[in-house]
Amino acid sequence: MNFSIVPAHLAVKAMRDNGYKNAAYAIAELMDNAIQAGAKNVELLCAEQTTPLAQRTRRRVHQIAVLDDASGMDKDTLRIALQFGNGTRLEEANQTGIGRFGMGLPASSISQCQKVEVWSWQGGLANAIYTYLDLGEIASQKLTEVPEPIAKAIPKLWKKVGNEWGESGTLVVWSILDRLMWKTAATIIDNSEFVIGRMYRRFLKKDQVRIRMAAFDIDRPENVTVDEWAKPNDPGYLSTGTSTPAPWDERPMFEKWGGEDGYEVTHKIEFRSQQHPVKIRYSVAKEEARQGTNPGSRDYGKHAAKNEGLSVVRAGRELELDDGWADPSEARDRWWGIEVEFPPALDEIFGVTNNKQHAHGLSELAKLDLDNLLKDGRSLGELREQLDDDEDPRAPLIEIAHQIQKTRNVLRRLLRAQTASEDRRDRTRHPDPNSPESRATEITRHRQEEGHEGQSDAGEQLPADQRQSQIEGELTSLGMPAAAAKELAATTVSDGLKYVFAEADLESMAFFSVKQRGGSIIITLNTSHPAFGSLVEVLEKDATGEDDASLRERLTTAAGGLKLVLMAWARYEDEQPDGPRRNQAQETRADWGRLARQFLNKDS
């Protein structure tokens, strides 16, 4: 009778549900092994077979192989490679590359198939050795340990379809593919290229490895139906020569955020008496990538939607694209990129799973509202101390998560301003004489005729180019893209408008600011104020997206009404004489904004 703590045949059956998201991630485990062993070429080979089905036939993947030209394995190493939880890199000193857990080859294989066969060679193909795992034999307890490798020639089928047969290398073949989600070779390759291109983008970009993906007919191997090379897939969209659809395949679709110096932020985490760097990189879509009608529906917009989230990179290889940091209801989240990179020494801190698909320690922090936890004067250090006292393993990551959250919110506001700029451009191309700005300008002219003077009025006497320059300079300083600021300033002056609306993240408790530039009054809505999300965004977004014409008209009227109220206050403030009355009006605006924040903030 077997009294093992975990009977092997039952344990292996349970291990089939080991969390691999799909075949692409399982295949990536095999590629990890190849790249770690020094492969310059890796090939994904899909063998299809035509099978009859009623009155027609269908093609289905029959076998999958991964071939590499790495260093190959001797008998002992090959046997260890097929053991669960064993490997050559389990010692901490060896944990510096993309491999680590000793689970990759067997665990990834049985997640997709019932039988995995491995050939490996050193010093030429004639020296190939072979062993295998078969779940059927393990279940019947016929196979109780990894078979001792034997000399065995590589099948002619794989020799015909493989291109890169080095003096050393490894061939892994999956058969009896009972858990494969994708049934055709084209689907497997398409999905694998996107995921694998993203995982190994650094290696592909630097030409450290080439990854070929090919499909063929198992009965006629000369009939190759797919044959292509994986391209880098950069979710930060800062690279060239990528899989991004034209015109952004050969030029970056995003730009670095924070400038060359601020683009990469490095944190230090102390773990086991050593300092380890964690690097965070930010990017945001170029304005031209988001111009035009609904850029998200274009091929490159759809590509960006599939790359939405926080890219978590370990040892140069992406672990996952964590979509917990993005909002599925916010289409603009596809237009920013954030990447966090850490070394394998911090696996325990980040909570890296043994299938190298998830860093749950960091991911859990995405769900925390850190700004709310830091209210009432509580510092980030104090929060860290509390987590340390509670022996919370996430404590060392709290500063990193907080910076990611804050910067992500800034990028969202920047993208919101981009959208507003494009909306303004559209209105410029199709000016509305009945717009709130036009109506407020007309009323202001009447007040001027009645003798009511505003501080801004003197600026109307300046030359047109000087007025435009002042307005443009103010809009640019608020973060509006230069081209949009220039166009809006020109329209304001040429149309004789008194009022200009802008949006920015103001370092103020006020809902909006009022400034006089070039004879006009610039009203800047504070995107960080809760009234912006509760009123401005809701009215403008729903007004443009609502299908019901009657409701759309009411929302548009409400949005215009809000603007008119704000312009009325701006003119009231503009007409106050310098001195106590003017100062009081400005202070009242700030106090009212502070009180409105308290009323609207759900966490107050």
Side-chain angles (χ1 to χ4, degrees):
M1 184 175 291
N2 184 352
F3 289 100
S4 301
I5 295 176
V6 181
H9 66 291
L10 298 179
V12 170
K13 184 177 180 181
M15 286 177 185
R16 300 202 75 188
D17 299 315
N18 50 27
Y20 285 95
K21 297 174 185 176
N22 51 51
Y25 287 89
I27 290 166
E29 281 283 10
L30 306 185
M31 294 187 176
D32 277 356
N33 294 338
I35 294 171
Q36 182 85 351
K40 300 300 181 185
N41 295 280
V42 181
E43 298 184 38
L44 168 61
L45 306 171
C46 298
E48 285 191 311
Q49 190 171 52
T50 302
T51 57
L53 178 65
Q55 302 300 315
R56 58 189 178 87
T57 60
R58 64 180 181 184
R59 295 174 66 82
R60 289 290 183 263
V61 175
H62 187 65
Q63 291 182 318
I64 292 176
V66 172
L67 167 68
D68 69 62
D69 60 358
S71 58
M73 293 177 276
D74 58 27
K75 285 188 175 182
D76 289 342
T77 305
L78 176 54
R79 204 173 187 189
I80 289 171
L82 277 173
Q83 285 185 295
F84 291 89
N86 205 350
T88 59
R89 299 185 180 90
L90 298 185
E91 296 298 324
E92 187 173 345
N94 295 328
Q95 294 171 1
T96 58
I98 55 180
R100 171 170 183 176
F101 295 98
M103 298 288 287
L105 174 52
S108 63
S109 298
I110 68 169
S111 75
Q112 305 297 315
C113 70
Q114 289 199 33
K115 185 173 184 178
V116 53
E117 300 173 276
V118 185
W119 285 262
S120 197
W121 58 96
Q122 295 175 327
L125 293 178
N127 297 320
I129 54 176
Y130 165 89
T131 190
Y132 71 99
L133 289 180
D134 187 315
L135 294 187
E137 293 184 15
I138 293 173
S140 66
Q141 301 186 56
K142 176 183 177 182
L143 194 66
T144 57
E145 61 180 33
V146 178
E148 183 175 353
I150 60 172
K152 186 174 181 179
I154 294 166
K156 293 180 181 178
L157 170 70
W158 302 110
K159 282 188 175 181
K160 286 183 179 179
V161 297
N163 283 352
E164 303 295 335
W165 297 94
E167 278 296 296
S168 58
T170 298
L171 174 71
V172 179
V173 178
W174 293 347
S175 56
I176 315 178
L177 302 165
D178 61 330
R179 290 201 168 189
L180 203 61
M181 181 172 71
W182 303 310
K183 303 302 182 183
T184 67
T187 307
I188 290 173
I189 289 175
D190 283 348
N191 286 282
S192 295
E193 180 181 17
F194 195 91
V195 172
I196 288 170
R198 193 175 64 218
M199 283 184 178
Y200 302 109
R201 58 183 181 267
R202 302 273 188 84
F203 300 89
L204 292 168
K205 185 64 180 175
K206 296 177 181 178
D207 289 327
Q208 292 176 331
V209 68
R210 298 193 309 159
I211 299 177
R212 176 185 175 230
M213 300 182 170
F216 62 95
D217 189 322
I218 197 168
D219 297 317
R220 292 182 299 151
E222 68 279 0
N223 183 17
V224 177
T225 55
V226 180
D227 197 343
E228 58 191 46
W229 296 92
K231 291 183 177 180
N233 173 15
D234 175 17
Y237 293 98
L238 294 173
S239 299
T240 57
T242 66
S243 62
T244 311
W248 303 108
D249 49 344
E250 294 301 330
R251 56 191 177 114
M253 186 164 71
F254 288 12
E255 57 191 355
K256 295 177 180 179
W257 187 85
E260 289 297 329
D261 295 333
Y263 156 66
E264 181 176 279
V265 181
T266 301
H267 290 259
K268 293 286 187 178
I269 290 182
E270 184 173 344
F271 184 58
R272 293 176 180 164
S273 302
Q274 288 189 329
Q275 294 282 331
H276 303 281
V278 177
K279 298 181 179 181
I280 312 173
R281 305 177 182 97
Y282 302 100
S283 60
V284 66
K286 294 178 178 177
E287 185 185 5
E288 59 179 305
R290 302 191 64 224
Q291 288 178 354
T293 304
N294 198 7
S297 66
R298 298 176 186 173
D299 287 344
Y300 58 80
K302 294 175 182 177
H303 192 278
K306 292 167 67 177
N307 276 333
E308 189 175 289
L310 173 69
S311 178
V312 183
V313 178
R314 170 187 178 274
R317 184 264 211 198
E318 185 183 82
L319 279 181
E320 66 173 327
L321 193 69
D322 188 347
D323 59 8
W325 298 85
D327 182 350
S329 67
E330 179 51 83
R332 280 184 290 244
D333 273 2
R334 75 185 66 189
W335 300 113
W336 54 256
I338 305 178
E339 175 183 287
V340 57
E341 182 175 14
F342 64 94
L346 294 178
D347 281 350
E348 188 175 327
I349 297 294
F350 276 83
V352 177
T353 56
N354 63 13
N355 59 18
K356 300 198 295 280
Q357 289 188 92
H358 191 47
H360 62 79
L362 181 62
S363 184
E364 288 172 2
L365 292 175
K367 305 176 181 69
L368 291 182
D369 185 350
L370 294 176
D371 282 337
N372 186 42
L373 293 175
L374 294 172
K375 67 181 182 179
D376 299 327
R378 189 185 198 186
S379 71
L380 200 59
E382 289 170 338
L383 179 58
R384 165 75 185 268
E385 287 179 9
Q386 180 188 324
L387 293 174
D388 278 329
D389 291 342
D390 294 339
E391 297 184 350
D392 191 321
R394 301 172 301 176
L397 299 178
I398 198 74
E399 290 94 344
I400 291 170
H402 185 242
Q403 188 196 82
I404 291 173
Q405 282 190 3
K406 286 185 73 67
T407 306
R408 176 202 59 193
N409 293 340
V410 170
L411 293 175
R412 281 174 171 169
R413 290 194 286 271
L414 180 64
L415 291 165
R416 189 181 294 128
Q418 259 188 12
T419 303
S421 296
E422 184 60 25
D423 290 343
R424 290 190 194 98
R425 285 186 174 186
D426 188 61
R427 291 196 294 271
T428 299
R429 299 181 191 107
H430 308 90
D432 180 6
N434 299 313
S435 69
E437 291 89 341
S438 297
R439 183 178 173 188
T441 298
E442 183 180 355
I443 293 170
T444 301
R445 299 300 177 220
H446 289 313
R447 290 188 62 79
Q448 288 172 333
E449 292 170 2
E450 294 170 354
H452 299 284
E453 294 184 5
Q455 191 178 69
S456 65
D457 295 351
E460 295 181 23
Q461 307 306 316
L462 296 172
D465 59 344
Q466 191 173 342
R467 292 184 60 198
Q468 180 176 330
S469 177
Q470 289 185 12
I471 297 170
E472 182 181 339
E474 178 63 23
L475 295 175
T476 304
S477 72
L478 292 169
M480 186 179 292
K486 183 175 183 178
E487 193 167 355
L488 180 57
T491 303
T492 300
V493 174
S494 64
D495 289 358
L497 295 176
K498 186 68 177 177
Y499 300 91
V500 183
F501 276 91
E503 297 169 5
D505 183 7
L506 303 177
E507 294 183 1
S508 167
M509 298 297 283
F511 170 36
F512 63 100
S513 69
V514 176
K515 288 187 178 181
Q516 295 79 22
R517 296 288 187 274
S520 292
I521 302 173
I522 299 175
I523 302 169
T524 305
L525 302 175
N526 187 357
T527 57
S528 65
H529 195 285
F532 186 87
S534 299
L535 289 172
V536 181
E537 265 204 317
V538 171
L539 291 172
E540 290 189 349
K541 180 179 178 181
D542 289 353
T544 55
E546 181 57 51
D547 292 330
D548 187 306
S550 176
L551 179 56
R552 185 170 64 247
E553 183 178 354
R554 292 198 299 273
L555 288 168
T556 300
T557 300
L562 175 61
K563 280 188 168 184
L564 286 168
V565 168
L566 296 179
M567 286 185 283
W569 175 271
R571 182 59 184 180
Y572 166 77
E573 189 174 311
D574 186 43
E575 290 182 1
Q576 300 309 306
D578 285 332
R581 287 187 60 183
R582 187 175 192 82
N583 293 338
Q584 185 178 7
Q586 293 172 344
E587 290 170 3
T588 299
R589 170 166 50 83
D591 289 341
W592 176 80
R594 189 177 296 106
L595 189 59
R597 182 183 291 271
Q598 292 178 357
F599 273 64
L600 291 168
N601 197 329
K602 297 175 183 178
D603 298 320
S604 295

